[in-house]
Amino acid sequence: MIERLDAVELEEIRDDFPILQQRVHGKPLIYFDNAATSQKPRQVIETLNDYYRRYNANVHRGIHALAERATREYELARHTIAKFINAPAPETVVFTRGTTEAINLVAYSWARANLKQGDEILITWMEHHSNIVPWYQVAAATGAVIKRIDLNADGTLAIPAINPRTKLVAVTQCSNVLGTINPVKELAAAAHKVGALILVDGAQSVPHLAVDVQALDADFFVFSGHKMLGPTASGVLYGKRALLEGMPPFMGGGEMIREVSATGFTTNDLPYKFEAGTPNIAESIGLGIAVDYLQKVGLDKIRQHEKEITAYALERLQEMIEIKIYGPLDAEKRGGLVAFTFSDIHPHDLATFFDQEGIAIRAGHHCAMPLHKHLGIGATARASFYLYNTRAEVDALVATLQKAKKFFGACPTGRALGF
Ligand code: C6P
C-alpha cells in the first residue's frame, strides 16, 4: 500500500513551520525555494534556542556539566544521522558546514594525495558548481583531467562504459535544475569495476528520498543540513572507514590532533581528524533534530507527497503553451522541483513578479552555469517543493504565471518539451 500524507497530517506539518504563517507583500507566503534552503520546524528552532539558553559549551574539551551535555547531544546527533543514511558506524560521519565543504574536504585531502597527471575525474553536465570547481582545482594541482557524462534528450544521463583511466566519479544523486534522479548505485558498480571511487552529492536527494549509503556502495556521500529542515552551516561527509583512515587531515588545529610536539603532530581518530577547531555544535545538534522530524513523518511519505505535487505541477504547467520545462516529464524520474522558462520573459522578471504575489521561487543559473550553457539558455525559473507544500499552492503558481503572461504580454514560444 502506498503511504501518503493525509490532509490532517499536512495541516499539522504546516503548523510546525512558523514562517509559513506569515504574509509577504500582503499575500500568504508560498515557499517554493526549498532547493535553495528549506524552512525549519519549531522543533529545530527550539533546539537552537535551548542549546544557547541552557547548555552552550564547547565539545570534547571541558569536564563541567554544560560541556558534557553539549558533547552528548553533539554525538547523539552523529548517531542519529549515521542511522538515517545507514552508515556502518558514527565515526564514518564527519560534520561539515555543508555539501560544499564536504566536497572540498575530499578534493583537498583524498584527491590531491591520490591523483596524478592523466588520471580522469568523471562528472556530469548537471553538476552544481560545488561538484565542479573543486575538481577543476584538483586538475590544476595534479594534472588530472575532467571528463563529463553526457545527457540524453530527456535530461537523464547517457551512461557510458567507464574509462579505466577514471579514478573518481563525482555525481549528483538529484539535479538541482533538471530534477533528474541519477542511478548512483549502477554508477558506483561501474566505477568500482575499473577501480575508481564514487562521490555522491546528496544535497538534493537526502532531504527527499530514503538514502542507504551502504546499499548504494558510495565511497563518499555528502549533503547539507539546511536543505533538510536543519540549520544553515550544518552538513555531512560520509566516507568508507578505510578511505577516511588513509586520508590526511584537511585542516590543522585543535581537536584533529592526538599529540602536538615542538616539531610535529599526530592525528586524532575518526571522525575528529576531520573536525579541526570548534565545530558547528548547535547546528549539528539541530540537524539531528531535523532528521528526527523527517523520520517521524517518514521519508517514503515525504517522497510520495512530493511526487504527487510534482506530477500535478508538471501537468498544470504544461497546460500553457508558452512554457518550456527542463528535465524528465515523468515525476517518477525526478525530485520535487521544476525548472522552466516562460515565453520570452526573463526568469528574474518572473521571480520578481511572483514575489509580489507572495510566492518565493528562484531564478538564474542555480550555480549550474555549465549546464545552462550546455542547454543553450542563460537562466531558468525554478519552483522547488517540500513536505509542507500543497496542490492549492501549485494552483496559485499556475494562476500567477497566467497573470504574468497578461502583464508582460508574453508570446507563445512552443509546446512544453522534455528538453
Ligand atoms: N544548491 C540551489 O538553490 P551548499 O551550498 O554547500 O549547502 O550546497 C551546495 C549544493 C551542492 N550540490 C547541489 C546539487 C546543490 O543543489 C547545492 C546547493 C542550492 O540549488 C544553492 S546554489
Side-chain angles (χ1 to χ4, degrees):
M1 200 188 79
I2 295 171
E3 284 210 274
R4 48 168 54 86
L5 292 180
D6 62 35
V8 176
E9 279 174 296
L10 189 52
E11 212 35 61
E12 282 170 1
I13 288 170
R14 290 183 63 82
D15 283 347
D16 281 335
F17 290 81
I19 211 165
L20 298 180
Q21 321 307 327
Q22 69 177 297
R23 297 174 85 82
V24 170
H25 302 306
K27 313 270 169 56
L29 169 66
I30 296 179
Y31 189 74
F32 280 156
D33 197 15
N34 293 288
T37 197
S38 74
Q39 296 305 341
K40 323 299 173 201
R42 64 184 163 73
Q43 290 84 340
V44 169
I45 298 168
E46 282 162 16
T47 298
L48 297 179
N49 196 8
D50 201 38
Y51 169 78
Y52 286 115
R53 277 175 179 275
R54 300 181 47 203
Y55 61 100
N56 172 47
N58 215 325
V59 289
H60 305 133
R61 288 157 171 84
I63 48 162
H64 54 83
L66 300 192
E68 282 183 357
R69 166 124 196 247
T71 302
R72 208 168 48 242
E73 303 283 352
Y74 180 72
E75 290 306 326
L76 178 66
R78 197 190 307 276
H79 270 81
T80 302
I81 293 160
K83 270 180 116 176
F84 181 60
I85 57 169
N86 195 31
E91 312 86 80
T92 58
V93 167
V94 176
F95 283 131
T96 67
R97 285 188 303 120
T99 304
T100 304
E101 185 178 298
I103 295 174
N104 275 276
L105 194 164
V106 176
Y108 275 88
S109 174
W110 178 83
R112 276 167 174 73
N114 286 281
L115 298 189
K116 57 177 190 327
Q117 181 96 24
D119 286 344
E120 292 184 5
I121 301 170
L122 185 62
I123 63 172
T124 80
W125 278 110
M126 64 175 85
E127 298 311 314
H128 184 277
H129 296 165
S130 295
N131 203 24
I132 301 173
V133 179
W135 309 122
Y136 285 169
Q137 292 173 304
V138 166
T142 63
V145 179
I146 309 290
K147 293 279 161 91
R148 281 187 168 85
I149 300 178
D150 226 325
L151 295 176
N152 293 315
D154 66 349
T156 55
L157 288 181
I159 297 176
I162 296 187
N163 182 330
R165 285 188 298 278
T166 308
K167 293 290 175 290
L168 178 73
V169 177
V171 62
T172 188
Q173 189 169 17
C174 177
S175 161
N176 68 327
V177 178
L178 303 173
T180 316
I181 297 175
N182 291 320
V184 288
K185 188 174 173 175
E186 288 71 19
L187 278 166
H192 294 152
K193 234 182 189 164
V194 297
L197 301 186
I198 186 164
L199 176 144
V200 181
D201 174 351
Q204 299 293 352
S205 60
V206 175
H208 309 281
L209 317 165
V211 164
D212 179 333
V213 292
Q214 293 188 80
L216 295 176
D217 203 10
D219 298 294
F220 300 110
F221 194 102
V222 298
F223 54 99
S224 299
H226 69 95
K227 295 185 199 291
M228 51 190 288
L229 313 183
T232 49
S234 64
V236 164
L237 161 68
Y238 156 78
K240 285 184 179 164
R241 183 191 290 274
L243 286 169
L244 293 177
E245 276 175 349
M247 283 159 54
F250 170 38
M251 290 196 289
E255 186 68 3
M256 50 70 68
I257 49 87
R258 183 183 302 287
E259 259 182 52
V260 183
S261 70
T263 51
F265 70 97
T266 54
T267 54
N268 204 343
D269 294 333
L270 293 177
Y272 312 115
K273 180 169 82 170
F274 295 112
E275 292 181 4
T278 298
N280 40 1
I281 304 166
E283 293 80 2
S284 302
I285 295 171
L287 178 55
I289 299 301
V291 166
D292 285 343
Y293 189 96
L294 291 171
Q295 284 181 312
K296 198 162 147 247
V297 177
L299 258 287
D300 291 342
K301 271 191 185 177
I302 293 171
R303 170 71 182 138
Q304 182 61 26
H305 178 69
E306 288 179 21
K307 233 178 352 189
E308 288 172 12
I309 294 272
T310 308
Y312 184 59
L314 288 168
E315 179 195 318
R316 293 284 339 262
L317 290 170
Q318 285 180 86
E319 287 167 8
M320 287 171 287
I321 191 142
E322 298 85 355
I323 206 155
K324 182 160 179 174
I325 293 169
Y326 294 87
L329 293 176
D330 177 356
E332 196 66 49
K333 290 188 185 163
R334 61 152 75 223
L337 62 90
V338 183
F340 57 91
T341 50
F342 191 68
S343 181
D344 51 0
I345 308 173
H346 194 281
H348 280 130
D349 291 336
L350 265 185
T352 305
F353 190 86
F354 271 85
D355 179 52
Q356 290 306 307
E357 299 294 314
I359 304 176
I361 62 166
R362 186 175 169 188
H365 52 65
H366 315 294
C367 299
M369 285 174 95
L371 172 65
H372 280 77
K373 284 224 175 86
H374 192 64
L375 299 175
I377 44 173
T380 48
R382 184 186 69 187
S384 52
F385 314 121
Y386 212 178
L387 72 169
Y388 36 68
N389 290 121
T390 67
R391 279 167 76 96
E393 290 180 326
V394 172
D395 289 333
L397 177 88
V398 173
T400 305
L401 266 178
Q402 274 153 354
K403 224 168 143 181
K405 177 171 144 181
K406 281 203 192 111
F407 181 83
F408 290 104
C411 50
T413 52
R415 281 266 355 116
L417 297 169
F419 226 43

